[in-house]
Amino acid sequence: MGAERLTELERRGRLTERRDVVISVKVRRPGETWFTSNIADMSLTGFRLHSFMKLTVGSELWIMLPGFEGRRARVQWVRAHESGCTFERPLHPAIFDYIVQRCLAGR
């Protein structure tokens, strides 16, 4: 039995490819009001959020992607004003492609 080569995604501990985007989104913690923030990159399963909102690992938030209803996500890591978050349920590939294409068209 031969050793399998790890993909770049597996070496980084990621399950899906991330796309470099800059997307204005609405974000809120449960029970609070929506405010505008930005996503710096995104995959089917998560995103990197740039925000001045104080977040902690394990906390829940809601994110509203342009043109879609709010989706629940959980904070996985925090570094200064950045947070890595995972969606409660992965995005459908068609929704992901639509959002990325919309972002790229706006550049």
Side-chain angles (χ1 to χ4, degrees), residues 62-99:
W62 286 84
I63 183 162
M64 191 179 304
L65 298 164
F68 295 94
E69 295 179 352
R71 304 179 70 80
R72 194 181 336 226
R74 185 160 307 278
V75 177
Q76 300 299 316
W77 58 264
V78 176
R79 182 177 56 233
H81 297 292
E82 290 185 322
S83 301
C85 305
T86 55
F87 294 115
E88 180 181 62
R89 290 186 315 266
L91 294 175
H92 187 280
I95 292 174
F96 177 75
D97 289 343
Y98 172 80
I99 293 168

Side-chain angles (χ1 to χ4, degrees), residues 6 19 28-29 41 69 77-79:
L6 293 176
R19 296 292 304 266
R28 73 174 178 87
R29 289 182 284 213
D41 60 44
E69 295 179 352
W77 58 264
V78 176
R79 182 177 56 233

